[in-house]
Amino acid sequence: MTLAKALNLSLRTALEDDRDVLVMGEDVGRLGGVFRVTDGLQKDFGEDRVMDSPLAESGIVGTAIGLALGGYRPVVEIQFDGFVFPAYDQIVTQLAKLHARSGGTLRMPVVIRIPYGGGIGAVEHHSESPEALFAHVAGLKVVSPSNPSDAYWMLRQAVRSDDPVIFFEPKRRYWDTGAVDPDATPPPLHRAQIVRAGTDLTLVAYGPSVKLCVEAAEAAAADGHSLEVVDLRSVSPVDFDTVQTSVEKTHRLVVVHEAPVFFGAGAEIAARITTRCFYTLEAPVLRVGGHHAPYPPARLERHYLPDLDRVLATVDHSLAY
Amino acid sequence: MTAPTDHRPPEASATAFTDALNAFTDRPHEPPPLQLIAPDGTLTLPPEQTPGYRPALLRTLYRDMRMSRELDTEATALQRQGELGLWPPLLGQEAAQVGSAHALRPDDYVFPSYREHGVAWCRGVDPVDVVKLYRGVTNGGWDPRETNFHLYTLVVGAHVLHATGYAMSLAKRGSDAVAVAYFGDGASSEGDVAEAFTFAAVHDAPVLFFCQNNQWAISEPVTRQTNSPLHRRARGFGFPGVRVDGNDALAVHAVTRHALDHIRGGGGPFLVEAFTYRMGAHTTSDDPTRYRPPAELEQWRAKDPLARLRTHLTAAGHAAPDFFDEVEQQARELAHRVRHAVRTMPDPERLGVFDHVHAEGHALVDEERRGFEEYERSFTDPERP
Ligand SMILES: Cc1ncc(C[n+]2csc(CCOP(=O)(O)OP(=O)(O)O)c2C)c(N)n1
């Protein structure tokens, strides 16, 4: 099943399981979302539970806060990464803080689904990776699946979470396929996973970059290098223990993400792992990511996004220390 | 059981109070949109009472609508052939765009959203520059200062605030130019648009809010955005609003001219709601058959803005067949020019990623540029490992 279909199934199951779950956003109803993630849900669950919102992101998140106060569990869709910012105020100043401000009395079980990342040749504002902006905010949890099974399970777990979860969907992986087992026992939402074992170097990634790292590990294997790939799955909190265990085995770490390197998630991982693994590291933690420049127009994005060559060049660089 | 004691006041005073309340809350009857040329091409007023009724203007409006449609058709075809990444068609909205654009002065400053190809054409923006954004070679495409036509804004509604601020700057400098914001019915729901209305109203800013109500925001009908006719919003903010038949280029022109005169005369902001229809898809990635009844499209096709003006021009004897032949010839030339330009358009230079990030430079950007350059050279430089 495709990652998009897995998300759809996840929402469908969540709506079936709990009458208080609501789905809302622009074009999520009759159209089924611009990526069809909510396809058919309004038909089956009605306009009361799957609601087309007015074109107003601040309104979408602000009313989700009110619905959560009223006992509902809203799952809202922001149509594209670059359009979350009208809602950023509500997310950062209200949603993230209400639990703390109320001394733990109020719960904000709100999921904000955001298709993110590049690689689909889109126009401006349709290819951004703003995860670090949210991870920096206390009170929010930030996750991103990289495959259909995680898409299904992580969204189910996010919906059940009593904390606000920013759920970043890697849009260029929407059409990737993989098995989904609705009877499985999933790992905890914020646990990292080793997706490929190796001994010479650890590649850490999440969301759209995981597949790239697996490809890089395959290519490096042909050159006799054994790379371990860790899928972080969660950007806030980060499962540093899993990364540390891996780095203690391989002694080298390269972090890969699409977002700009500067002040990105990789910076935090590099700092923490350097502290934890200072005596076992044989090279500085290196990072591969986007440049410190606005996301370029489609015909230039291949020069902006990390690709196989850039990951492998950085791996070589690390191994050369 | 005893009946509860009735503490209500006598009926008569309740009725008077209800009447008084209703005087505030009754919805006035909604008149049909203002129209000068009916769909069958006839005038709704005598020619001498029809503002702007000049054959030369009518021909210009027709010509520019036809050119806009041609650009749209060609760009849609180019997208289908993989030459453009995306295209938002303007089909059906030519009269709203061309009619209003022709009412503007060159020193008025226009803030478009992303579908205003007809306005761009009238402002003298090269259509080749307009398609660049959708080919993915630039996030801009033209110098806004040359034509007083701002860059397209893709974040819905954001530019309506920019227009308002620009209008405030015009007023501060004592200019009688007007800022114009084009936006959609969907955009009217964004907080930015409501905030723009507030700023404009309290500053008496010389800004024209031009809403193209094309009935749909992607898959959502206008009833998902508002429960009251959009033009009436203006009243609540304290400025006038008018609904005009957006498929009638002459009426749009006349209403826009009226609004601009009002604004230039110091009257403050004005909202024009052009009541029109998006006959195509939202963009080339959209499938309107999923949400839109075909009968609705047919109903609006009968109000086609080009057909209407053509019928009128012919019936009134303002344009002979050779005029239309000439326009068709010009349209074909435009299509050829755009097609050739798109087909031969080079991709931007790869280090362009780092261009113009800051006006005054930034050490980190310079460092990343050098690093990337070196990295790229490592593939071709035999000296390097
Ligand atoms: C802030 C923001 N949210 C969502 C989008 C995605 N989006 C692009 S156009 C559009 C519909 C706009 O409808 P309307 O304002 O009526 O203008 P129209 O496209 O009909 O001309 C949406 C939801 C966006 N571009 N910006």
Side-chain angles (χ1 to χ4, degrees), chain A residues 4 7-8 11 32-33 35-39 41 77 113 169 174:
Chain A
L7 292 167
N8 181 271
L11 288 172
F35 290 107
R36 307 287 184 263
V37 170
T38 55
D39 199 15
L41 298 180
E77 174 174 303
R113 297 180 33 242
E169 300 172 1
Y174 271 141

Side-chain angles (χ1 to χ4, degrees), chain A residues 26-27 55 57 79-80 83 86 126, chain B residues 93 114-115 154-156 183-188 190 212 214 216-218 278 282:
Chain A
E26 293 156 14
D27 303 290
L55 212 179
E57 291 76 11
Q79 203 158 72
F80 276 94
F83 306 137
H126 291 69
Chain B
Q93 298 179 223
Y114 43 78
R115 200 193 293 284
L154 269 67
V155 180
V156 166
F183 58 98
D185 43 301
S188 74
E190 289 282 3
Q212 288 171 82
N214 67 8
W216 292 90
I218 310 190
R278 185 194 87 210
H282 169 66

